[in-house]
Amino acid sequence: MARIDHAVSSGTFSLDGETFDVDNNIWVIGDDTECVVIDAPHSVDDIMAVVGDRKVKAILLTHAHDDHCRVAPALRERVVAPIMLHPADKPVWELTHTDELWDLDLADGTEIEVAGTTLRVLHTPGHAPGAVCFYAPELGCVFTGDTLFHGGPGATGRSFSDADLIVESIRTQLFALPDDTVVHTGHGDDTTIAAERVE
Ligand SMILES: [Zn+2]
């Protein structure tokens, strides 16, 4: 039976010449033997504290801002698992990682199996061109990265983002999910699709 484990990792986010302190959520979905990791922010040790001695099947990135992908290559080396990213985020990835790439491309509709459950990729461009959400129908939740937060859409003021597109992505992809779907975000508290529909 798949479960969700969670930790918060602290570090910085840099873009367009500015740097901010941020707390990032790390989400780990799996059972006692295998798991996948959603986002690889600041510290491999913070992630491994949640993973334990389980086999990591994949490192899934919601997008390639540095506070979500900085330690992805180091984690890959530690656990020997593929990094998966939507290829539209290549220019964003290259701001952080100039000499190495991810391993497998995500696309809208990609399905990832772990611990007998399925994560389905929803391409939700706007916050970043390759931003995706991972919908877990059997777990009744969606992992939204920085596309949808408790209280509204993610930021779109910086390079590679698009305010109209994020609203369109949320409307067509996320608001199509059942009302009681729990939203696990990239930063901060959980919410639900119903609560954000009202916002
Ligand atoms: Zn971001």
Side-chain angles (χ1 to χ4, degrees):
M1 181 66 187
R3 68 174 192 273
I4 300 164
D5 295 301
H6 170 235
V8 177
S9 188
S10 299
T12 60
F13 163 58
S14 300
L15 190 61
D16 298 339
E18 287 185 274
T19 296
F20 309 88
D21 291 327
V22 282
D23 291 334
N24 283 69
N25 292 322
I26 298 162
W27 299 103
V28 177
I29 301 98
D31 57 17
D32 289 339
T33 57
E34 65 175 30
C35 62
V36 295
V37 175
I38 296 181
D39 285 340
H42 311 292
S43 152
V44 171
D45 288 341
D46 284 356
I47 297 166
M48 293 309 294
V50 185
V51 166
D53 58 5
R54 294 183 279 175
K55 175 177 173 46
V56 176
K57 289 186 74 178
I59 301 159
L60 307 176
L61 301 180
T62 58
H63 63 298
H65 281 153
D66 64 352
D67 61 324
H68 293 257
C69 78
R70 185 179 289 113
V71 302
L75 180 64
R76 167 172 64 190
E77 209 161 292
R78 178 88 73 94
V79 301
V80 192
I83 299 169
M84 300 179 74
L85 175 70
H86 194 290
D89 254 17
K90 185 162 194 277
V92 185
W93 168 272
E94 287 171 341
L95 296 174
T96 305
H97 301 295
T98 50
D99 56 353
E100 41 197 345
L101 283 173
W102 65 97
D103 302 287
L104 297 170
D105 286 346
L106 295 172
D108 193 64
T110 301
E111 297 199 333
I112 298 126
E113 306 285 334
V114 62
T117 200
T118 303
L119 299 177
R120 192 160 75 235
V121 173
L122 308 173
H123 184 210
T124 51
H127 177 73
V132 298
C133 299
F134 299 97
Y135 176 46
E138 289 147 358
L139 301 176
C141 66
V142 62
F143 301 87
T144 55
D146 291 358
T147 293
L148 183 64
F149 291 128
H150 182 101
T156 49
R158 294 177 182 280
S159 298
F160 304 108
S161 63
D162 184 321
D164 293 337
L165 201 51
I166 198 172
V167 169
E168 182 66 13
S169 289
I170 291 169
R171 276 219 184 93
T172 57
Q173 293 275 46
L174 296 180
F175 286 176
L177 302 178
D179 263 344
D180 59 354
T181 305
V182 174
V183 177
H184 296 301
T185 64
H187 306 271
D189 294 334
D190 291 347
T191 181
T192 64
I193 291 297
E196 298 313 315
R197 226 191 276 278
V198 173
E199 296 279 342

